[in-house]
Amino acid sequence: MTETDFILSNFDVSKASNGSVTWKTPSNIALVKYWGKQEPQIPENASISFTLDACFTLTTLEFRLKKKRPVTGSEFNFEIFFEGEKKEDFKPKIQKFFERIEQYVPFLKDYDFIIKSRNSFPHSSGIASSASGMSALALCVMSLERLLNGAEMTDEYFNKKASFLARLGSGSACRSIEGELIVWGNHTEIEGSSNLFGTKFPFKIHENFKNYHDTILLVDEDEKQVSSTVGHQLMNNHPFAQQRFQQANDNISKISEIIQKGDLKQFIKIVESEALSLHAMMMTSNPYFILMKPNTLKIINKIWEFRSKTNANICFTLDAGANVHVLFPESEKESVNNFIINELIQFCYKKHYICDIIGNGGTQLIVKNEQLKIGY
Ligand code: DP6
């Protein structure tokens, strides 16, 4: 599929003059990392992630048709509330998102919007909210498109276009529409993979990876000193950029085999190497920076110690921050949970951590009388 397949040409705004749609969409954790991109949000290498479950954003998009059809040069009209409070400072990001997606969803200026959003995790937790936030908003926009578009729209097209739109808001967001393992970026060995949207891992996932756990240790709840957007930019002219993109694509080939075979030991090697390679890119950028904190390293060392003592299939990964994601199989959850509680929680900020698990992606919610019901 190409960009032009996502342009909506036939729609009738009178089919939805006012109403609201709500989506609950999880975050995701990359196993092979996306770091480096070109305009418009095209990744330099393929990435693969576990979709999460407990870390999610809940977004309602309220829409009301404007009394007059918009004229050329008119503005997007929207308000945004986050956790009940009006958020003027969130507006530029949404404005940019709307500008980027308008050519594919040309009805945006026909409506006045109110966006109401909240996260299941603390906003200041250092957990990337852009993946869950942008994917939830993209799904809301697609639900509105579905109302306006008379023609049958398959769920497959709905999800692909939602992922395509989400990518234009934040790259990693395109991997949060569905579960359980999502690949984003062209890769010769992953059939159907694309730079434009995320696709489900096309091979059988070994039983060892069913219900895989991700316990997120919140080491630092402060705002990051360097945003992901700036980090991506620093991969332009980075001395190791080409080797890094090649390494990531090679790791996709390796991890694809590993996931099919269920080889937990090899999985650990790739996942930890990816996390450290990502942070090595940050440390060797110009200007250089470090997002890990002393407690990040203490946790990593404790995990290595525990693994060599017990042979447990526990490993860590990092995103663009100091928090540590501890990954382990369902079959080892009791011993690993005890280890986390007894030995790792002490390194978390205020002992904060989140127990998460591999999940299935976005869910539309039907909101009635302030009760939330799951449905389609
Ligand atoms: C380190 O998706 O947050 O988490 O596209 O600029 O919004 P933008 O960046 P973003 O980058 C995520 C980087 C990462 C790795 C990953 O999720 O693959």
Side-chain angles (χ1 to χ4, degrees), residues 86-172:
K86 202 167 176 178
K87 284 280 184 191
E88 289 301 319
D89 50 331
F90 284 16
K91 276 188 146 181
K93 196 152 191 195
I94 306 294
Q95 171 75 26
K96 193 164 178 205
F97 176 56
F98 280 175
E99 283 166 13
R100 277 190 168 153
I101 67 173
E102 192 193 7
Q103 54 177 312
Y104 306 104
V105 280
F107 52 80
L108 291 180
K109 284 184 179 158
D110 285 287
Y111 289 92
D112 295 323
F113 292 114
I114 298 177
I115 302 161
K116 293 178 178 164
S117 203
R118 67 185 169 85
N119 291 341
S120 66
F121 46 90
H123 182 57
S124 60
S125 63
I127 295 181
S129 56
S130 66
S132 52
M134 282 299 174
S135 52
L137 186 55
L139 282 160
C140 287
V141 170
M142 280 310 293
S143 284
L144 179 54
E145 170 170 334
R146 198 170 231 170
L147 294 173
L148 308 182
N149 176 357
E152 267 296 294
M153 191 196 298
T154 62
D155 288 345
E156 193 190 347
Y157 180 84
F158 182 96
N159 285 334
K160 272 207 170 106
K161 184 163 173 184
S163 177
F164 172 83
L165 297 179
R167 180 197 110 240
L168 293 168
S170 175
S172 55

Coordinates of all heavy atoms in Angstrom, one line a residue, residues 86-172:
K86 N -7.8 21.7 31.2 CA -7.6 22.2 29.9 C -6.1 22.4 29.7 O -5.4 22.9 30.6 CB -8.2 23.6 29.8 CG -8.5 24.0 28.4 CD -9.5 25.2 28.4 CE -9.7 25.7 27.0 NZ -10.6 26.8 27.0
K87 N -5.5 21.9 28.6 CA -4.1 21.9 28.4 C -3.7 22.7 27.1 O -3.7 22.1 26.0 CB -3.6 20.5 28.3 CG -3.5 19.7 29.6 CD -2.3 20.1 30.4 CE -2.1 19.4 31.6 NZ -1.1 19.9 32.5
E88 N -3.4 24.0 27.3 CA -3.0 24.8 26.2 C -1.7 24.3 25.6 O -1.4 24.3 24.4 CB -2.9 26.3 26.6 CG -4.2 27.0 26.8 CD -5.2 26.9 25.6 OE1 -4.7 27.1 24.5 OE2 -6.4 26.7 25.9
D89 N -0.8 23.8 26.5 CA 0.6 23.4 26.1 C 0.6 22.1 25.3 O 1.6 21.8 24.7 CB 1.5 23.4 27.3 CG 1.0 22.5 28.4 OD1 -0.2 22.5 28.6 OD2 1.9 21.9 29.1
F90 N -0.5 21.4 25.3 CA -0.6 20.2 24.4 C -1.0 20.5 23.0 O -0.9 19.7 22.1 CB -1.6 19.1 25.0 CG -1.1 18.4 26.2 CD1 -0.1 18.8 26.9 CD2 -1.8 17.2 26.6 CE1 0.4 18.1 28.1 CE2 -1.4 16.5 27.7 CZ -0.3 16.9 28.4
K91 N -1.5 21.7 22.8 CA -2.1 22.1 21.5 C -1.1 22.0 20.3 O -1.5 21.5 19.3 CB -2.8 23.5 21.6 CG -4.2 23.4 22.2 CD -4.9 24.7 22.0 CE -6.3 24.5 21.8 NZ -7.0 25.8 21.6
P92 N 0.1 22.6 20.5 CA 1.0 22.6 19.3 C 1.2 21.2 18.7 O 1.2 21.0 17.5 CB 2.3 23.2 19.8 CG 1.9 24.0 21.0 CD 0.7 23.3 21.6
K93 N 1.3 20.2 19.6 CA 1.6 18.8 19.1 C 0.4 18.3 18.3 O 0.5 17.7 17.2 CB 1.9 17.9 20.3 CG 2.6 16.6 19.8 CD 3.5 16.0 20.8 CE 4.2 14.8 20.0 NZ 4.9 13.9 20.7
I94 N -0.8 18.6 18.8 CA -2.0 18.1 18.2 C -2.2 18.9 16.8 O -2.6 18.4 15.8 CB -3.3 18.3 19.1 CG1 -3.0 17.6 20.4 CG2 -4.5 17.8 18.4 CD1 -2.9 16.1 20.4
Q95 N -1.9 20.2 16.9 CA -2.1 21.1 15.7 C -1.2 20.5 14.6 O -1.6 20.3 13.5 CB -1.6 22.5 16.1 CG -1.4 23.5 14.9 CD -2.8 24.0 14.4 OE1 -3.8 24.0 15.1 NE2 -2.8 24.3 13.1
K96 N 0.1 20.1 14.9 CA 1.0 19.6 14.0 C 0.5 18.3 13.4 O 0.6 18.0 12.2 CB 2.4 19.4 14.6 CG 3.5 19.2 13.6 CD 4.8 19.4 14.2 CE 5.9 19.1 13.2 NZ 7.2 18.7 13.8
F97 N -0.1 17.5 14.3 CA -0.6 16.2 13.9 C -1.8 16.4 12.9 O -1.8 15.7 11.9 CB -1.1 15.4 15.2 CG -1.8 14.1 15.0 CD1 -1.2 13.1 14.3 CD2 -3.1 13.9 15.5 CE1 -1.8 11.9 14.0 CE2 -3.7 12.7 15.3 CZ -3.1 11.7 14.6
F98 N -2.7 17.3 13.3 CA -3.8 17.5 12.4 C -3.3 18.0 11.0 O -3.8 17.6 10.0 CB -4.8 18.6 13.0 CG -5.7 18.0 14.0 CD1 -6.6 18.8 14.7 CD2 -5.8 16.6 14.2 CE1 -7.5 18.2 15.7 CE2 -6.6 16.0 15.2 CZ -7.5 16.9 15.9
E99 N -2.3 18.9 11.0 CA -1.7 19.4 9.7 C -1.2 18.3 8.9 O -1.4 18.2 7.7 CB -0.6 20.4 10.0 CG -1.1 21.8 10.4 CD 0.0 22.7 11.0 OE1 1.2 22.4 10.9 OE2 -0.4 23.7 11.6
R100 N -0.5 17.4 9.6 CA 0.1 16.2 8.8 C -0.9 15.3 8.3 O -0.7 14.7 7.2 CB 1.1 15.5 9.7 CG 2.4 16.1 9.8 CD 3.3 15.1 10.6 NE 4.7 15.5 10.5 CZ 5.6 15.1 11.4 NH1 5.3 14.4 12.4 NH2 6.9 15.5 11.2
I101 N -2.0 15.1 9.0 CA -3.0 14.0 8.6 C -4.1 14.6 7.7 O -4.9 13.8 7.1 CB -3.5 13.2 9.8 CG1 -4.4 14.1 10.7 CG2 -2.4 12.5 10.5 CD1 -5.1 13.2 11.8
E102 N -4.2 15.9 7.7 CA -5.4 16.5 7.0 C -5.6 16.0 5.6 O -6.8 15.7 5.2 CB -5.3 18.0 7.0 CG -6.6 18.7 6.6 CD -6.5 20.1 6.3 OE1 -5.3 20.7 6.2 OE2 -7.5 20.8 6.0
Q103 N -4.5 15.8 4.8 CA -4.7 15.4 3.4 C -5.3 14.0 3.3 O -5.9 13.6 2.3 CB -3.4 15.4 2.7 CG -2.3 14.7 3.3 CD -1.0 14.7 2.5 OE1 -1.0 14.4 1.3 NE2 0.1 15.0 3.1
Y104 N -5.2 13.2 4.4 CA -5.8 11.8 4.4 C -7.2 11.8 5.0 O -7.9 10.9 4.8 CB -4.8 10.9 5.2 CG -3.4 10.9 4.6 CD1 -2.4 11.6 5.3 CD2 -3.1 10.4 3.4 CE1 -1.1 11.7 4.7 CE2 -1.9 10.5 2.8 CZ -0.9 11.2 3.5 OH 0.4 11.3 3.0
V105 N -7.5 12.8 5.9 CA -8.8 12.8 6.6 C -9.3 14.3 6.4 O -9.3 15.1 7.3 CB -8.7 12.4 8.1 CG1 -8.7 10.9 8.2 CG2 -7.5 13.0 8.7
P106 N -9.7 14.6 5.2 CA -10.0 16.0 4.8 C -11.2 16.6 5.5 O -11.6 17.7 5.1 CB -10.1 16.0 3.3 CG -10.4 14.6 2.9 CD -9.9 13.7 4.0
F107 N -11.8 15.9 6.5 CA -13.0 16.4 7.1 C -12.7 17.2 8.4 O -13.6 17.7 9.1 CB -14.0 15.3 7.4 CG -13.4 14.1 8.1 CD1 -13.2 14.1 9.5 CD2 -13.0 13.0 7.4 CE1 -12.6 13.1 10.2 CE2 -12.4 11.9 8.1 CZ -12.2 11.9 9.5
L108 N -11.4 17.2 8.8 CA -11.1 17.7 10.2 C -11.6 19.2 10.4 O -12.0 19.5 11.5 CB -9.6 17.7 10.4 CG -9.0 16.3 10.6 CD1 -7.5 16.3 10.8 CD2 -9.7 15.5 11.7
K109 N -11.4 20.0 9.3 CA -11.8 21.4 9.5 C -13.3 21.6 9.5 O -13.8 22.7 9.7 CB -11.1 22.3 8.5 CG -9.6 22.5 8.8 CD -8.9 23.4 7.9 CE -7.5 23.6 8.3 NZ -6.6 24.0 7.2
D110 N -14.1 20.6 9.2 CA -15.5 20.7 9.2 C -16.1 20.7 10.6 O -17.3 20.9 10.8 CB -16.2 19.6 8.4 CG -16.0 19.7 6.9 OD1 -16.7 20.6 6.3 OD2 -15.2 19.0 6.3
Y111 N -15.2 20.3 11.6 CA -15.7 20.1 12.9 C -15.1 20.9 14.0 O -13.9 21.3 13.8 CB -15.5 18.6 13.3 CG -16.4 17.6 12.6 CD1 -15.9 17.1 11.4 CD2 -17.6 17.3 13.0 CE1 -16.8 16.2 10.7 CE2 -18.5 16.4 12.4 CZ -18.0 15.9 11.2 OH -18.8 15.0 10.5
D112 N -15.8 21.2 15.1 CA -15.2 21.7 16.3 C -15.0 20.4 17.1 O -15.9 19.6 17.3 CB -16.2 22.6 17.0 CG -16.5 23.9 16.2 OD1 -15.6 24.4 15.6 OD2 -17.7 24.3 16.3
F113 N -13.8 20.3 17.7 CA -13.5 19.1 18.5 C -13.2 19.5 19.9 O -12.6 20.5 20.2 CB -12.2 18.4 17.9 CG -12.4 17.8 16.6 CD1 -11.7 18.3 15.5 CD2 -13.2 16.7 16.4 CE1 -11.8 17.7 14.2 CE2 -13.4 16.1 15.2 CZ -12.7 16.6 14.1
I114 N -13.5 18.5 20.8 CA -13.0 18.6 22.2 C -12.4 17.2 22.4 O -13.0 16.2 22.2 CB -14.1 18.8 23.2 CG1 -14.8 20.2 23.0 CG2 -13.5 18.8 24.7 CD1 -15.9 20.6 23.9
I115 N -11.1 17.2 22.8 CA -10.3 16.0 23.0 C -10.2 15.9 24.5 O -9.7 16.8 25.2 CB -9.0 16.0 22.3 CG1 -9.1 16.3 20.8 CG2 -8.2 14.8 22.6 CD1 -7.8 16.8 20.2
K116 N -10.6 14.7 25.1 CA -10.5 14.5 26.5 C -9.7 13.2 26.7 O -10.0 12.2 26.2 CB -11.8 14.3 27.2 CG -12.7 15.6 27.2 CD -14.0 15.4 27.8 CE -14.8 16.7 27.8 NZ -16.2 16.5 28.1
S117 N -8.6 13.4 27.4 CA -7.6 12.3 27.5 C -7.1 12.0 28.9 O -7.0 13.0 29.7 CB -6.5 12.6 26.6 OG -5.8 11.5 26.1
R118 N -6.9 10.8 29.2 CA -6.2 10.5 30.5 C -5.4 9.2 30.4 O -5.7 8.4 29.5 CB -7.1 10.4 31.7 CG -8.1 9.3 31.7 CD -9.1 9.5 32.9 NE -10.2 8.6 32.9 CZ -10.1 7.3 33.3 NH1 -9.0 6.8 33.8 NH2 -11.2 6.5 33.2
N119 N -4.4 9.1 31.2 CA -3.5 8.0 31.2 C -3.7 7.1 32.4 O -4.1 7.6 33.5 CB -2.0 8.4 31.2 CG -1.6 9.1 29.9 OD1 -2.2 9.0 28.9 ND2 -0.5 9.9 30.0
S120 N -3.4 5.8 32.2 CA -3.5 4.9 33.4 C -2.3 5.0 34.3 O -2.3 4.5 35.4 CB -3.7 3.4 32.9 OG -2.5 3.0 32.2
F121 N -1.3 5.6 33.7 CA 0.0 5.7 34.5 C 0.2 7.2 34.8 O -0.3 8.1 34.0 CB 1.2 5.1 33.7 CG 1.2 5.6 32.2 CD1 1.9 6.7 31.8 CD2 0.5 4.9 31.2 CE1 1.9 7.2 30.5 CE2 0.4 5.3 29.9 CZ 1.2 6.4 29.5
P122 N 1.0 7.5 35.8 CA 1.2 8.9 36.1 C 1.9 9.7 35.0 O 2.8 9.1 34.4 CB 2.1 8.9 37.4 CG 2.3 7.5 37.7 CD 1.7 6.6 36.7
H123 N 1.4 10.9 34.6 CA 1.9 11.6 33.5 C 3.4 11.8 33.7 O 4.2 11.8 32.7 CB 1.2 12.9 33.3 CG 1.7 13.7 32.2 ND1 1.7 13.2 30.9 CD2 2.2 14.9 32.0 CE1 2.2 14.1 30.0 NE2 2.5 15.1 30.7
S124 N 3.8 12.1 34.9 CA 5.2 12.4 35.1 C 6.1 11.1 35.4 O 7.2 11.2 35.8 CB 5.3 13.3 36.4 OG 4.8 12.5 37.5
S125 N 5.6 10.0 35.0 CA 6.3 8.7 35.3 C 7.5 8.5 34.4 O 8.3 7.6 34.7 CB 5.4 7.5 35.3 OG 4.9 7.4 34.0
G126 N 7.6 9.3 33.4 CA 8.7 9.0 32.4 C 8.3 8.0 31.4 O 9.1 7.6 30.6
I127 N 7.1 7.4 31.5 CA 6.7 6.4 30.5 C 6.2 7.2 29.3 O 5.4 8.2 29.4 CB 5.5 5.6 31.1 CG1 6.0 4.8 32.2 CG2 4.9 4.7 30.0 CD1 5.0 3.9 32.8
A128 N 6.7 6.8 28.1 CA 6.3 7.6 26.9 C 4.8 7.5 26.7 O 4.2 6.4 26.6 CB 7.0 7.0 25.7
S129 N 4.2 8.7 26.8 CA 2.7 8.7 26.6 C 2.4 9.0 25.1 O 1.2 8.9 24.7 CB 2.1 9.7 27.5 OG 2.6 11.0 27.2
S130 N 3.4 9.3 24.3 CA 3.1 9.7 22.9 C 2.6 8.5 22.1 O 1.7 8.6 21.3 CB 4.2 10.3 22.2 OG 5.3 9.4 22.1
A131 N 3.1 7.3 22.4 CA 2.6 6.1 21.7 C 1.2 5.8 22.0 O 0.4 5.6 21.0 CB 3.5 4.9 22.1
S132 N 0.8 5.8 23.3 CA -0.6 5.5 23.6 C -1.5 6.7 23.2 O -2.6 6.5 22.7 CB -0.8 5.1 25.0 OG -0.2 6.0 25.9
G133 N -1.0 7.9 23.5 CA -1.9 9.1 23.2 C -2.1 9.3 21.8 O -3.3 9.5 21.4
M134 N -1.1 9.2 20.9 CA -1.3 9.5 19.5 C -2.1 8.3 18.8 O -2.9 8.5 17.9 CB 0.0 9.6 18.8 CG 0.6 11.0 19.0 SD -0.5 12.3 18.4 CE 0.3 13.8 18.9
S135 N -1.9 7.1 19.3 CA -2.6 6.0 18.7 C -4.1 6.1 19.1 O -5.0 5.8 18.3 CB -2.0 4.6 19.1 OG -1.9 4.5 20.4
A136 N -4.4 6.5 20.3 CA -5.8 6.6 20.7 C -6.5 7.7 19.9 O -7.6 7.5 19.4 CB -5.9 6.9 22.2
L137 N -5.8 8.8 19.7 CA -6.4 9.9 18.9 C -6.6 9.5 17.5 O -7.6 9.8 16.9 CB -5.5 11.2 19.0 CG -6.1 12.4 18.4 CD1 -7.5 12.8 18.9 CD2 -5.2 13.6 18.7
A138 N -5.6 8.8 16.9 CA -5.7 8.3 15.5 C -6.9 7.4 15.4 O -7.7 7.4 14.4 CB -4.4 7.6 15.1
L139 N -7.1 6.5 16.4 CA -8.3 5.6 16.3 C -9.6 6.3 16.4 O -10.6 6.0 15.7 CB -8.2 4.5 17.4 CG -7.2 3.4 17.1 CD1 -6.7 2.7 18.3 CD2 -7.7 2.4 16.1
C140 N -9.6 7.4 17.2 CA -10.9 8.2 17.3 C -11.1 8.9 16.0 O -12.3 8.9 15.5 CB -10.7 9.3 18.4 SG -10.7 8.7 20.1
V141 N -10.1 9.4 15.3 CA -10.3 10.0 14.0 C -10.8 9.0 13.0 O -11.7 9.3 12.2 CB -9.0 10.7 13.5 CG1 -9.1 11.1 12.1 CG2 -8.6 11.9 14.4
M142 N -10.3 7.8 13.1 CA -10.7 6.7 12.1 C -12.2 6.3 12.4 O -12.9 6.0 11.5 CB -9.8 5.5 12.2 CG -8.5 5.6 11.5 SD -8.8 6.2 9.8 CE -9.6 4.8 9.1
S143 N -12.6 6.3 13.7 CA -14.0 6.0 14.0 C -14.9 7.1 13.4 O -16.0 6.8 12.9 CB -14.2 6.0 15.5 OG -13.7 4.8 16.0
L144 N -14.5 8.3 13.4 CA -15.2 9.4 12.8 C -15.3 9.2 11.2 O -16.3 9.3 10.6 CB -14.7 10.8 13.1 CG -15.4 12.0 12.5 CD1 -16.9 12.0 12.9 CD2 -14.7 13.3 13.1
E145 N -14.1 8.8 10.7 CA -14.1 8.6 9.2 C -15.1 7.5 8.9 O -15.8 7.5 7.9 CB -12.7 8.2 8.8 CG -12.7 7.7 7.3 CD -11.3 7.5 6.7 OE1 -10.3 8.2 7.1 OE2 -11.2 6.6 5.8
R146 N -15.1 6.4 9.7 CA -16.0 5.3 9.4 C -17.5 5.8 9.4 O -18.3 5.3 8.6 CB -15.8 4.2 10.5 CG -16.4 2.9 10.1 CD -16.0 1.8 11.1 NE -15.4 0.7 10.4 CZ -14.7 -0.3 11.0 NH1 -14.6 -0.3 12.3 NH2 -14.2 -1.3 10.3
L147 N -17.8 6.7 10.3 CA -19.2 7.3 10.3 C -19.5 8.1 9.0 O -20.6 8.1 8.5 CB -19.4 8.2 11.5 CG -19.3 7.5 12.9 CD1 -19.4 8.6 14.0 CD2 -20.5 6.6 13.1
L148 N -18.5 8.7 8.5 CA -18.7 9.6 7.3 C -18.6 8.9 6.0 O -19.1 9.4 4.9 CB -17.7 10.7 7.3 CG -17.5 11.5 8.6 CD1 -16.5 12.6 8.4 CD2 -18.8 12.1 9.0
N149 N -18.0 7.8 6.0 CA -17.7 7.1 4.8 C -18.8 6.0 4.5 O -18.8 5.0 5.3 CB -16.3 6.4 4.9 CG -15.9 5.6 3.7 OD1 -16.7 5.4 2.8 ND2 -14.7 5.1 3.8
G150 N -19.6 6.2 3.5 CA -20.7 5.3 3.3 C -20.2 3.9 2.9 O -20.8 2.9 3.3
A151 N -19.0 3.9 2.2 CA -18.6 2.5 1.7 C -18.2 1.7 2.9 O -17.8 2.1 3.9 CB -17.4 2.8 0.8
E152 N -18.3 0.4 2.7 CA -17.8 -0.6 3.6 C -16.3 -0.4 3.9 O -15.5 -0.3 2.9 CB -18.0 -2.0 3.1 CG -19.3 -2.7 3.4 CD -19.5 -3.0 4.9 OE1 -18.7 -3.8 5.5 OE2 -20.4 -2.4 5.5
M153 N -15.9 -0.4 5.1 CA -14.5 -0.3 5.4 C -14.1 -1.5 6.2 O -14.7 -1.8 7.2 CB -14.2 0.9 6.2 CG -12.7 1.2 6.4 SD -12.3 2.4 7.7 CE -13.2 3.9 7.1
T154 N -13.1 -2.3 5.7 CA -12.8 -3.5 6.4 C -12.0 -3.1 7.7 O -11.4 -2.0 7.8 CB -11.8 -4.4 5.6 OG1 -10.6 -3.6 5.3 CG2 -12.5 -4.8 4.3
D155 N -12.0 -4.0 8.7 CA -11.3 -3.8 9.9 C -9.8 -3.7 9.6 O -9.0 -3.0 10.2 CB -11.5 -4.9 10.9 CG -12.9 -4.8 11.5 OD1 -13.5 -3.7 11.4 OD2 -13.3 -5.8 12.1
E156 N -9.4 -4.5 8.6 CA -7.9 -4.5 8.2 C -7.5 -3.1 7.7 O -6.5 -2.5 8.1 CB -7.7 -5.5 7.1 CG -6.2 -5.8 6.9 CD -6.0 -6.6 5.7 OE1 -6.9 -7.2 5.1 OE2 -4.8 -6.6 5.3
Y157 N -8.4 -2.4 6.9 CA -8.0 -1.1 6.4 C -8.1 -0.1 7.5 O -7.2 0.8 7.6 CB -9.0 -0.7 5.3 CG -8.8 0.7 4.7 CD1 -7.8 0.9 3.7 CD2 -9.4 1.8 5.2 CE1 -7.5 2.1 3.2 CE2 -9.2 3.1 4.7 CZ -8.2 3.2 3.7 OH -8.0 4.5 3.2
F158 N -9.1 -0.3 8.4 CA -9.3 0.6 9.5 C -8.0 0.7 10.4 O -7.5 1.7 10.7 CB -10.5 0.2 10.4 CG -10.8 1.0 11.6 CD1 -11.8 2.0 11.5 CD2 -10.2 0.8 12.8 CE1 -12.1 2.8 12.6 CE2 -10.5 1.6 13.9 CZ -11.4 2.6 13.8
N159 N -7.5 -0.5 10.7 CA -6.3 -0.6 11.6 C -5.1 -0.1 10.9 O -4.2 0.5 11.5 CB -6.1 -2.1 12.0 CG -7.1 -2.5 13.1 OD1 -7.6 -1.6 13.8 ND2 -7.4 -3.8 13.2
K160 N -5.0 -0.4 9.6 CA -3.8 0.0 8.8 C -3.8 1.6 8.7 O -2.7 2.2 9.0 CB -3.8 -0.5 7.4 CG -3.2 -1.9 7.3 CD -2.6 -2.1 5.9 CE -1.8 -3.4 5.9 NZ -2.4 -4.5 5.3
K161 N -4.9 2.1 8.4 CA -4.9 3.6 8.3 C -4.8 4.2 9.7 O -4.1 5.3 9.8 CB -6.2 4.1 7.6 CG -6.2 5.6 7.4 CD -7.2 6.1 6.4 CE -7.2 7.6 6.4 NZ -8.2 8.2 5.5
A162 N -5.3 3.6 10.7 CA -5.2 4.2 12.1 C -3.7 4.2 12.4 O -3.1 5.2 13.0 CB -5.9 3.4 13.1
S163 N -3.0 3.1 12.1 CA -1.5 3.0 12.3 C -0.8 4.1 11.5 O 0.2 4.7 12.0 CB -1.1 1.6 12.0 OG 0.3 1.5 12.2
F164 N -1.2 4.2 10.3 CA -0.6 5.2 9.3 C -0.7 6.6 9.9 O 0.3 7.4 9.9 CB -1.3 5.0 8.0 CG -0.9 6.1 7.0 CD1 0.3 5.9 6.2 CD2 -1.7 7.2 6.8 CE1 0.6 6.9 5.2 CE2 -1.4 8.2 5.8 CZ -0.2 8.0 5.1
L165 N -1.9 6.9 10.4 CA -2.1 8.3 10.9 C -1.3 8.4 12.2 O -0.7 9.5 12.5 CB -3.6 8.5 11.2 CG -4.6 8.5 10.0 CD1 -6.0 8.7 10.5 CD2 -4.2 9.5 9.0
A166 N -1.4 7.4 13.1 CA -0.7 7.5 14.4 C 0.8 7.7 14.2 O 1.4 8.5 14.9 CB -0.9 6.2 15.2
R167 N 1.4 7.1 13.1 CA 2.8 7.3 12.8 C 3.1 8.7 12.6 O 4.2 9.2 13.0 CB 3.1 6.4 11.6 CG 4.6 6.5 11.2 CD 4.8 6.0 9.8 NE 5.1 7.1 8.9 CZ 4.4 7.5 7.8 NH1 3.4 6.8 7.5 NH2 4.8 8.5 7.1
L168 N 2.2 9.4 11.9 CA 2.4 10.8 11.6 C 2.4 11.7 12.9 O 2.9 12.8 12.9 CB 1.5 11.3 10.5 CG 1.7 10.6 9.2 CD1 0.5 10.9 8.2 CD2 3.0 11.0 8.5
G169 N 1.8 11.2 14.0 CA 1.8 11.9 15.2 C 3.1 11.5 16.0 O 3.7 12.4 16.5
S170 N 3.4 10.3 16.1 CA 4.6 9.8 16.8 C 4.9 8.4 16.2 O 4.1 7.6 16.2 CB 4.3 9.7 18.3 OG 5.5 9.2 18.9
G171 N 6.2 8.3 15.8 CA 6.6 7.0 15.2 C 6.1 5.8 15.9 O 5.4 4.9 15.4
S172 N 6.5 5.7 17.2 CA 6.2 4.5 17.9 C 4.7 4.2 18.1 O 4.3 3.1 18.4 CB 7.0 4.5 19.3 OG 6.6 5.6 20.0

